[in-house]
């Protein structure tokens, strides 16, 4: 296409090249034939080939110049040849030399700055899974495949041990089909170098692949923390270790020019947003998979009943708490009205018996959701961890924080870990950040001289002994119906003997689909809800507030979606009022028994 453009300067070859790849990637099964940086070890991928990468945009670097078109001159024959410099980091001159005029012409003759700028995005590997095992060449023979859900279940004891039994990371993270390499190990030199390279991952202990993505056009469409599947040209030239002259400090050079063998460059041709991160669901939207959606919706009610029974056992026989846990796990910020995020449902599960119980509860939830993170709110963690990302002006990068999470991540806050002591300045700042995340679904990133708001969509579950010190949309006190002699054995027996891998997969699909469904309320039901609200306030205006009505509407929405219903019915509204009444009655009884402590 570039060669043809030399005879026709108005051919628009660059746009045609991008459209060529976009059109081919729309073909059935075409995306699965592209090797993935998430699944295939880098040393088995061919340089300058088409690859894909599922990722989260962690940082955005400054634009940089490149030679879109350059001219080489053969020293012997003086023959001049025009070459394309797009989608590559290093010019290819061979024995020829680049004409000095070509650089100036490349930079200055274009009417569009976007033709010569690449927005560089620092992107850590997103905890995702492509659905195909791609073999890029006949020489690639992996010693093991990336773990499936079934293998995850079998390896539960190895990979999901409680925090105190693992290495001393301040939290635990999880992603379905995490970005572990298919090979057991990379070459030893790569492994050693990686250990000394600061990849600035948000979560402690993260080992996913990292990549610098070069964006040529429409870079304003991409935002920090977006999750994408990027298709582009792989660049791993050793020459990339030489830093551009524009970088002022050695620290900036180190951060922005890591070895390409460890942090490859990817020249974007096409990117699509990742609507979900569940490898059991089709990658396209539910609307484009009507057969899958129809069969799933027909089973929603029965799967919900099975999941409710499962959670009831896990929550020590408390069916009401199990009901609210399901509603929490499918909640989603579906819209924002001014600063108010609509659809969020942060749940405070109080009355949890022991720290070992909450750790095991997290592990069970961890096995059901695509991505999650456990944060033990110990005094040490609160005073020492960096939860909020902060701009590092020396290295000219965003120093990551734990709250830089992909949307739909389940954040598990364990207040059972909190002990007596004094929160220092960092601790107060971290607790404030958690409160803002819960209330406004936003995180204020620290840019030293100012703060910048970044909206998020995080499901926050708070487990505590009494009422949480953090805000929540709903609190329910655990009312155990059983008192097992050995809590660990009780929970393990439920998980290991009651649930099969196929059953867990049904739960995983159910939770993801319920969260992705659209929802509406008819005018008739809106009028019915308004009349009910007036009737509830007739006898005692203080008994039901506008806040109570908002919570019941959120519960009614989630209750409908949990049953596979995309609109509110009269039965779902009455059920929502009923379970809210039961919850409030329980909280009042608990308050009477325990005084001021709800």
């Amino acid at each position: 296409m570039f060669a043809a453009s030399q005879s026709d300067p108005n051919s628009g070859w660059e746009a045609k090249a991008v459209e060529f790849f976009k059109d081919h990637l729309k073909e059935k099964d075409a995306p699965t034939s592209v090797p993935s940086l998430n699944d295939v070890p880098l040393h088995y991928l061919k340089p300058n080939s088409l690859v894909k990468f599922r990722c989260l945009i962690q940082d955005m670097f400054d634009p940089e110049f490149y030679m879109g078109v350059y001219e080489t001159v053969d020293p012997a024959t003086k023959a001049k040849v025009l070459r394309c410099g797009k989608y590559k980091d290093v010019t290819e001159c061979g024995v020829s030399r680049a004409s000095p005029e070509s650089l100036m012409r490349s930079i200055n003759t274009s009417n569009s700055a976007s033709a010569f700028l690449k927005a560089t995005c620092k992107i850590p590997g997103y905890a995702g899974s492509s659905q195909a095992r791609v073999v890029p060449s006949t020489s690639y023979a992996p010693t093991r495949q990336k773990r499936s859900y079934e293998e995850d279940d079998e390896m539960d004891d190895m990979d999901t041990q409680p925090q105190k039994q693992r290495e001393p990371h301040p939290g635990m993270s999880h992603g379905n089909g995490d970005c572990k390499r298919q090979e057991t190990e990379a070459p030893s030199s790569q492994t050693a170098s990686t250990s000394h390279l600061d990849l600035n991952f948000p979560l402690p202990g993260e080992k996913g692949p990292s990549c610098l993505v070069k964006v040529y056009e429409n870079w304003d469409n991409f935002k920090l923390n977006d999750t994408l599947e990027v298709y582009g040209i792989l660049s791993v030239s050793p020459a990339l270790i030489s830093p551009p002259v524009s970088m002022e400090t050695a620290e900036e050079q180190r951060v922005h020019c890591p070895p390409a063998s460890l942090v490859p460059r990817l020249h974007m041709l096409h990117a699509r947003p990742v609507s979900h991160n569940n490898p059991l669901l089709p990658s396209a939207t539910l609307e484009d998979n009507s057969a899958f959606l129809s069969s799933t919706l027909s089973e929603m009610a029965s799967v919900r009943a099975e999941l409710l029974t499962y959670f009831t056992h896990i929550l020590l026989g408390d069916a009401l708490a199990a009901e609210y846990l399901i509603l929490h796990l499918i909640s989603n910020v579906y819209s924002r009205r001014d600063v108010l995020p609509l659809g969020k449902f942060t749940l405070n599960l109080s009355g949890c018996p022991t720290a070992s119980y909450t750790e095991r509860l997290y592990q069970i939830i961890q096995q059901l959701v695509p991505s999650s993170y456990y944060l033990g709110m110990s005094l040490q963690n609160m005073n020492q961890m960096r939860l909020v990302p902060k701009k590092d002006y020396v290295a000219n990068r965003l120093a990551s924080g734990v709250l830089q999470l992909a949307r739909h991540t389940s954040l598990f806050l364990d207040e059972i870990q909190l002990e007596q002591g004094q929160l220092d300045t960092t601790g107060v700042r971290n607790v404030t950040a958690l409160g803002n995340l819960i209330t406004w679904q936003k995180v204020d990133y620290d840019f030293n001289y100012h703060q910048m708001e970044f909206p998020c969509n995080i499901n926050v579950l708070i487990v505590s002994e009494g009422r949480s010190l953090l805000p929540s949309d709903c609190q329910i006190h655990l009312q155990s119906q059983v008192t097992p002699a050995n809590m660990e054995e009780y929970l393990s027996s439920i998980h290991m003997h009651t649930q099969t891998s196929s059953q867990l997969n049904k739960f995983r699909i159910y939770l993801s689909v319920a969260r992705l469904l659209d929802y509406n309320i008819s005018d008739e039901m809106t009028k019915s809800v308004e009349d009910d609200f007036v009737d509830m306030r007739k006898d005692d205006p203080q008994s039901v507030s506008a806040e109570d009505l908002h919570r019941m509407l959120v519960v009614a929405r989630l209750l409908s979606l949990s049953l596979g219903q995309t609109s509110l019915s009269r039965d779902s509204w009455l059920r929502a009022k009923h379970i809210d009444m039961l919850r409030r009655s329980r909280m009042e009884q608990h308050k009477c028994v325990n005084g001021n402590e709800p």
Side-chain angles (χ1 to χ4, degrees):
M1 291 180 181
F2 171 75
S5 72
Q6 302 312 301
S7 59
D8 182 10
N10 297 319
S11 66
W13 75 271
E14 293 168 297
K16 287 181 180 178
V18 173
E19 287 302 316
F20 172 83
F21 285 100
K22 285 184 179 179
D23 290 343
H24 278 70
L25 288 170
K26 291 177 183 177
E27 296 175 4
K28 185 179 180 181
D29 298 330
T32 61
S33 66
V34 181
S36 171
L37 278 172
N38 302 92
D39 300 330
V40 182
L42 183 60
H43 51 284
Y44 281 107
L45 292 172
K46 185 179 179 181
N48 303 317
S49 63
L50 180 69
V51 298
K52 64 184 176 184
F53 185 42
R54 289 170 64 91
C55 53
L56 174 142
I57 301 179
Q58 184 183 323
D59 199 356
M60 292 186 171
F61 292 165
D62 295 332
E64 62 185 50
F65 290 99
Y66 76 102
M67 290 195 293
V69 178
Y70 63 98
E71 185 180 75
T72 60
V73 182
D74 189 306
T77 65
K78 306 300 181 185
K80 297 181 179 180
V81 179
L82 285 179
R83 298 183 183 273
C84 173
K86 200 170 185 179
Y87 305 118
K88 60 182 66 175
D89 289 289
V90 181
T91 57
E92 300 173 356
C93 297
V95 296
S96 305
R97 61 181 176 83
S99 166
E101 291 83 6
S102 64
L103 177 61
M104 297 302 295
R105 184 165 64 247
S106 295
I107 294 176
N108 295 326
T109 59
S110 173
N111 293 325
S112 171
S114 63
F116 300 104
L117 295 178
K118 292 180 285 188
T120 309
C121 305
K122 177 67 166 61
I123 306 185
Y126 185 50
S129 169
S130 65
Q131 294 170 314
R133 300 278 78 81
V134 179
V135 179
S137 69
T138 55
S139 64
Y140 175 51
T143 57
R144 67 173 176 86
Q145 294 291 322
K146 185 159 62 69
R147 296 204 316 269
S148 66
Y149 267 127
E150 288 77 7
E151 290 167 313
D152 270 335
D153 300 331
E154 293 169 3
M155 299 179 70
D156 181 53
D157 290 339
M158 291 178 60
D159 280 354
T160 58
Q161 289 300 309
Q163 180 185 10
K164 64 176 70 174
Q165 296 174 344
R166 293 161 56 110
E167 291 191 30
H169 296 314
M172 296 186 286
S173 62
H174 165 75
N176 286 343
D178 54 10
C179 300
K180 293 181 176 66
R181 301 291 194 179
Q182 284 183 317
E183 282 284 272
T184 304
E185 293 291 344
S188 57
S189 59
Q190 265 193 31
T191 307
S193 301
T194 306
S195 63
H196 297 291
L197 185 65
D198 178 16
L199 296 180
N200 191 36
F201 287 124
L203 300 181
E206 174 64 45
K207 294 182 176 63
S210 182
C211 187
L212 290 174
V213 176
K214 312 277 187 169
V215 183
Y216 287 81
E217 57 187 13
N218 300 324
W219 52 80
D220 289 340
N221 294 343
F222 303 106
K223 297 179 177 61
L224 207 63
N225 304 327
D226 281 354
T227 51
L228 307 170
E229 185 162 60
V230 178
Y231 295 83
I233 306 300
L234 177 67
S235 176
V236 289
S237 172
L240 290 173
I241 199 167
S242 302
V245 294
S246 61
M247 295 186 182
E248 298 180 356
T249 67
E251 181 67 14
E252 184 177 0
Q253 294 174 5
R254 183 185 66 81
V255 168
H256 290 249
C257 298
S261 59
L262 301 176
V263 183
R265 278 56 163 175
L266 187 60
H267 295 260
M268 181 188 292
L269 286 163
H270 175 58
R272 65 176 186 83
V274 176
S275 59
H276 65 81
N277 193 34
N278 189 336
L280 299 173
L281 268 62
S283 57
T285 60
L286 293 179
E287 291 75 11
D288 295 334
N289 292 273
S290 56
F292 171 83
L293 180 59
S294 177
S295 63
T296 304
L297 288 178
S298 66
E299 298 178 356
M300 291 281 279
S302 61
V303 176
R304 184 191 193 281
E306 294 171 9
L307 183 58
L308 181 64
T309 301
Y310 178 50
F311 278 161
T312 299
H313 290 309
I314 296 298
L315 296 176
L316 308 178
D318 191 339
L320 185 60
E323 187 97 44
Y324 274 94
L325 182 57
I326 291 177
L327 303 185
H328 160 75
L329 290 175
I330 66 172
S331 63
N332 171 48
V333 178
Y334 62 88
S335 181
R336 290 179 186 266
R337 184 173 297 161
D338 297 326
V339 297
L340 183 65
L342 302 179
K344 71 184 184 73
F345 193 62
T346 296
L347 182 64
N348 175 203
L349 181 63
S350 59
C352 294
T354 62
S356 62
Y357 173 80
T358 56
E359 288 173 346
R360 187 59 181 158
L361 176 61
Y362 168 72
Q363 292 167 13
I364 290 167
I365 293 174
Q366 180 187 45
Q367 293 297 302
L368 299 176
V369 297
S371 52
S372 61
Y373 184 71
Y374 171 95
L375 178 58
M377 292 183 62
S378 65
L379 199 63
Q380 180 180 358
N381 282 350
M382 290 296 96
N383 286 338
Q384 294 183 5
M385 290 183 71
R386 183 171 63 218
L387 300 189
V388 175
K390 182 177 182 178
K391 180 70 174 182
D392 180 353
Y393 287 95
V394 176
N396 192 22
R397 73 168 176 180
L398 187 66
S400 62
V402 167
L403 295 185
Q404 191 175 7
L405 298 169
R407 71 193 192 108
H408 296 162
T409 298
S410 290
L411 179 60
F412 191 98
L413 301 181
D414 191 349
E415 278 192 22
I416 299 290
Q417 304 284 344
L418 192 61
E419 65 272 15
Q420 288 187 348
Q422 184 69 39
L423 287 174
D424 59 17
T425 304
T426 301
V428 172
R429 189 182 301 119
N430 283 337
V431 171
T432 301
L434 290 172
N436 287 335
L437 167 65
I438 291 168
T439 304
W440 308 111
Q441 284 290 309
K442 70 181 181 70
V443 179
D444 296 325
Y445 288 18
D446 185 358
F447 282 78
N448 289 1
Y449 308 106
H450 68 283
Q451 291 185 328
M452 188 175 295
E453 292 183 3
F454 285 87
C456 54
N457 190 350
I458 307 298
N459 284 35
V460 184
L461 176 62
I462 311 167
V463 292
S464 57
E465 186 176 357
R467 182 173 183 172
S468 171
L469 60 88
L470 294 168
S472 65
D473 297 304
C474 181
Q475 180 195 357
I476 184 164
H477 195 81
L478 188 62
Q479 200 170 76
S480 60
Q481 305 299 314
V482 294
T483 309
N486 188 309
M487 186 70 73
E488 181 62 29
E489 289 183 3
Y490 171 79
L491 296 175
S492 296
S493 64
I494 294 172
H495 181 67
M496 298 300 294
H497 301 305
T498 307
Q499 304 304 322
T500 63
S501 294
S502 60
Q503 185 72 28
L504 290 174
N505 281 345
K506 283 168 60 176
F507 293 164
R508 291 159 176 159
I509 293 173
Y510 165 82
L511 292 172
S512 292
V513 169
R515 174 183 280 170
L516 294 171
L517 291 174
D518 290 329
Y519 173 82
N520 64 80
I521 304 179
S522 65
D523 293 340
E524 180 183 356
M525 275 307 305
T526 300
K527 180 67 168 60
S528 178
V529 169
E530 291 173 352
D531 292 342
D532 272 7
F533 181 59
V534 172
D535 290 340
M536 284 187 287
R537 289 175 58 89
K538 273 183 180 178
D539 296 332
D540 184 3
Q542 304 301 319
S543 63
V544 182
S545 65
E547 183 179 345
D548 293 328
L549 174 63
H550 174 76
R551 183 182 60 252
M552 283 189 285
L553 284 170
V554 172
V555 169
R557 174 182 181 273
L558 297 174
L559 191 60
S560 299
L561 294 176
S562 73
L563 293 166
Q565 301 169 0
T566 56
S567 62
L568 181 62
S569 66
R570 182 67 182 170
D571 288 343
S572 293
W573 170 244
L574 293 176
R575 174 65 179 164
K577 289 199 306 178
H578 177 65
I579 65 172
D580 188 70
M581 180 197 69
L582 293 177
R583 184 194 64 82
R584 294 172 67 186
S585 174
R586 177 185 295 187
M587 299 308 299
E588 287 296 326
Q589 291 174 8
H590 184 69
K591 183 184 292 187
C592 292
V593 173
N594 294 273
N596 292 329
E597 211 259 287

